[in-house]
Amino acid sequence: MKVGIDMGQVSSAPGGGSALLDLEELLATRLLVQGNSGSGKSHLLRRLLEQSASLVQQAIIDPEGDFVTLADKFGHVVVDASRSEGDIQRIAARVRQHRVSVVLSLEGLDAEAQMRCAAAFLGGLFDADRDYWYPMLVVVDEAQLFAPAAAGDVSDEARKVSLGAMTNLMCRGRKRGLAGIIATQRLAKLAKNVAAEASNFLMGRTFLDIDMARAADLLGMERRQAEMFRDLERGHFVALGPALSRRPVPIRIGTVETSARSGSFKLVPLPEQPKEEARDLIFKPGEDEPVRPVMPRRAPPPPPAPSTNDLLAQLARTRPAAAPEPEAEATEESKAERDATLDAILREILDDPEAAFRTVAVLYQDFLVRCRIRRVAGEPLSLPAFRRRLAVARAGVDTATAEGTEWDRAVAFAADLAEDIQGVFLLLARAAMEGSACPPDGEIARACGSRSPGRARRLIAYMESRGIVVTRNDPRGLRIIALPDLGWETGPGDPNAFEEPVGSSDNRDLFAVG
């Protein structure tokens, strides 16, 4: 049975048709809401919760205490987070057992305490007995606080615990009946492995280029259409997903029955009073105000005496430094051996199917660690030098080809290109030089660190607009790419023939646009 939740009206439909959200599909595919502060995210979540309150159990992780007003109208139980983590986890287990809708209010806690309490609560929901795996909507407002993309001011332990709980909710929660609904102000601040598990999207107003571009990618839109997110009004969102619409549609969120405790601040006239009275109000204590005694300032304590270790270290610093041992002069043979070792390390890293989708910074750290383990002599590669070697390695060039003068021409030409297209150019150059088939879109996408065939097509189009490559189709519709500056041309190839390597992750990249 299909159960539709009325979220409002479709803005593009004549007369404004109803925007229905399929609740059963939502339970299986999860939802991501994004929008800047003031775009109407909380209003959207409140509309969703109110419309489905009588249909499914709900749990809201509320960092600001905005959703506690649902208790008066819809019977949600407010859980105060000023408890131990063990108590929070046991309460979560009983929530699943008795199917009670709750609001976990984290108001008043600092960021690290909020992360720990949210992790304990999600852990309790996730670890419930199989007999209590009933359907439940788990709404996490301000999800970037609990699944940050980068380390912040909190401890690494708190971040790992919170990020692990959010990842479990979005990746493995479906089998336990938990449907994650996460809302964030900025996609760039939200961990990608958490955002990537959502199949439904509601994108609201946003202004930063990086957030607009990522929102457009998630919705399968062209980059030039990303500017529309700046023009969205409050309460207007673009919807996409199996529970919403198979194509991006603009919707306007309907009204709600409850309101947040904070609400929107309105301008209030300042009180009119003489200047002297205003001075008395702030400098003189009121009648009911307790007077606190002024504590005398204590003199700062004298500096502690240096410890024995500090004295020994100071004496050691006064000794003349030992002369450095002369380094052995690098020969041509040792340089060749070092280059072979570096190439072997790069191949080991790229043998991992997921290496193609890790950032260059992560791969560079892994490379340096492996170099130290192998005790590679000489100065470590700089990051720019590593980028160049990585681009060559991703192109799949064998040793015999790399040593030829023809390949040196391709590498020299690629050195003048932007870093994000160097790997793609070298991949095409290798295919053209060997006379092999034109690489498919999926293989080109891996060369630039993505699973998105759409990203590969956009890069090829960009390179063609710059005169770097020329594409054409043969009579069978197969693609041929020519490199005019090198005078090379690939063989015909099917752009859709790519198959995911064996052992790669089953998680689909939601940035793909087909």
Side-chain angles (χ1 to χ4, degrees):
M1 181 182 66
K2 182 175 180 179
V3 179
I5 299 175
D6 185 5
M7 295 299 297
Q9 293 183 331
V10 179
S11 304
S12 60
S18 296
L20 296 180
L21 187 151
D22 187 343
L23 181 57
E24 290 192 345
E25 190 68 31
L26 176 64
L27 291 170
T29 53
R30 300 166 292 279
L31 172 65
L32 169 63
V33 181
Q34 188 263 351
N36 288 154
S37 178
S39 62
K41 293 190 311 300
S42 298
H43 180 83
L44 183 152
L45 294 178
R46 190 176 295 274
R47 172 77 179 189
L48 172 60
L49 291 168
E50 291 182 356
Q51 294 294 314
S52 61
S54 61
L55 303 173
V56 66
Q57 185 185 3
Q58 301 171 348
I60 304 104
I61 296 179
D62 185 7
E64 298 296 335
D66 286 340
F67 294 93
V68 297
T69 54
L70 293 172
D72 298 332
K73 180 73 175 179
F74 298 96
H76 291 63
V77 176
V78 178
V79 179
D80 188 358
S82 57
R83 304 169 183 264
S84 67
E85 295 178 26
D87 286 343
I88 294 290
Q89 193 164 6
R90 286 187 289 271
I91 289 172
R94 291 194 288 269
V95 165
R96 296 220 70 183
Q97 178 182 356
H98 300 292
R99 303 187 68 183
V100 178
S101 294
V102 297
V103 179
L104 177 65
S105 177
L106 303 176
E107 185 181 15
L109 301 181
D110 59 29
E112 183 163 336
Q114 287 188 345
M115 296 176 79
R116 292 183 180 276
C117 286
F121 185 77
L122 291 175
L125 297 179
F126 191 82
D127 296 334
D129 293 339
R130 181 181 291 270
D131 294 338
Y132 308 128
W133 287 2
Y134 300 108
M136 172 187 281
L137 295 182
V138 183
V139 178
V140 183
D141 195 14
E142 305 296 347
Q144 75 278 357
L145 301 177
F146 308 105
D153 297 332
V154 298
S155 65
D156 288 340
E157 180 188 359
R159 177 177 175 270
K160 289 179 181 178
V161 169
S162 179
L163 182 57
M166 290 288 291
T167 304
N168 276 340
L169 169 66
M170 298 300 290
C171 297
R172 301 168 58 199
R174 181 182 64 84
K175 295 182 179 179
R176 289 165 169 76
L178 302 176
I181 299 175
I182 56 177
T184 180
Q185 291 186 10
R186 291 198 57 200
L187 282 171
K189 288 188 175 182
L190 183 65
K192 289 186 178 180
N193 60 332
V194 172
E197 294 302 324
S199 300
N200 301 287
F201 307 97
L202 283 165
M203 298 299 177
R205 182 176 60 202
T206 187
F207 294 97
L208 292 181
D209 291 342
I210 185 173
D211 293 322
M212 290 192 298
R214 191 170 171 193
D217 278 342
L218 287 173
L219 296 180
M221 301 165 60
E222 297 292 337
R223 290 295 179 95
R224 64 176 180 271
Q225 296 176 291
E227 294 287 338
M228 66 171 292
F229 292 109
R230 283 198 177 111
D231 302 327
L232 290 176
E233 299 179 9
R234 177 183 174 88
H236 288 240
F237 290 80
V238 180
L240 176 69
L244 294 160
S245 171
R246 297 293 177 177
R247 294 289 183 270
V249 294
I251 66 173
R252 183 174 69 251
I253 305 302
T255 59
V256 295
E257 301 178 42
T258 61
S259 60
R261 292 189 304 174
S262 57
S264 300
F265 294 99
K266 304 295 183 181
L267 291 175
V268 178
L270 294 174
E272 296 182 0
Q273 52 193 359
K275 181 178 178 181
E276 293 301 324
E277 292 185 7
R279 291 176 58 87
D280 293 341
L281 288 174
I282 63 174
F283 289 119
K284 291 183 179 179
E287 296 179 357
D288 300 332
E289 183 178 348
V291 180
R292 297 182 179 179
V294 179
M295 301 298 294
R297 289 188 177 181
R298 297 181 180 178
S307 64
T308 304
N309 290 336
D310 293 337
L311 292 174
L312 292 175
Q314 185 176 359
L315 290 174
R317 285 195 295 270
T318 59
R319 297 177 183 176
E325 296 182 1
E327 295 185 359
E329 185 177 353
T331 62
E332 292 296 331
E333 183 178 355
S334 64
K335 290 180 179 178
E337 183 179 352
R338 181 175 185 271
D339 289 340
T341 305
L342 296 180
D343 290 339
I345 293 174
L346 266 177
R347 285 195 297 271
E348 289 178 5
I349 294 174
L350 295 180
D351 282 343
D352 182 359
E354 292 301 312
F357 313 115
R358 298 192 178 105
T359 63
V360 175
V362 172
L363 296 177
Y364 183 56
Q365 293 299 323
D366 188 12
F367 175 77
L368 293 180
V369 171
R370 291 173 186 260
C371 287
R372 288 198 295 269
I373 294 174
R374 297 280 190 90
R375 300 186 182 277
V376 178
E379 289 291 326
L381 285 182
S382 63
L383 183 56
F386 174 76
R387 287 180 185 272
R388 290 191 293 271
R389 277 185 177 266
L390 181 64
V392 174
R394 278 177 167 169
V397 181
D398 55 27
T399 305
T401 303
E403 292 176 352
T405 56
E406 292 296 308
W407 181 249
D408 290 340
R409 290 176 54 207
V411 173
F413 184 82
D416 296 330
L417 302 178
E419 289 183 352
D420 57 342
I421 62 174
Q422 285 183 5
V424 176
F425 179 83
L426 291 176
L427 177 65
L428 299 174
R430 188 261 300 169
M433 188 174 65
E434 296 175 352
S436 56
C438 178
D441 290 335
E443 186 177 349
I444 295 173
R446 287 179 66 89
C448 60
S450 173
R451 287 190 176 93
S452 169
R455 177 172 171 80
R457 289 192 290 271
R458 288 193 295 271
L459 284 177
I460 294 297
Y462 170 77
M463 294 169 69
E464 188 168 17
S465 68
R466 297 286 179 175
I468 301 171
V469 300
V470 177
T471 63
R472 63 185 177 88
N473 292 335
D474 71 353
R476 295 171 295 172
L478 301 181
R479 182 173 63 190
I480 300 173
I481 296 182
L483 283 66
D485 292 280
L486 301 178
W488 301 345
E489 185 176 82
T490 69
D494 184 0
N496 302 314
F498 178 72
E499 295 182 1
E500 194 73 18
V502 176
S504 62
S505 174
D506 291 333
N507 295 334
R508 300 292 298 168
D509 185 6
L510 297 179
F511 291 8
V513 295

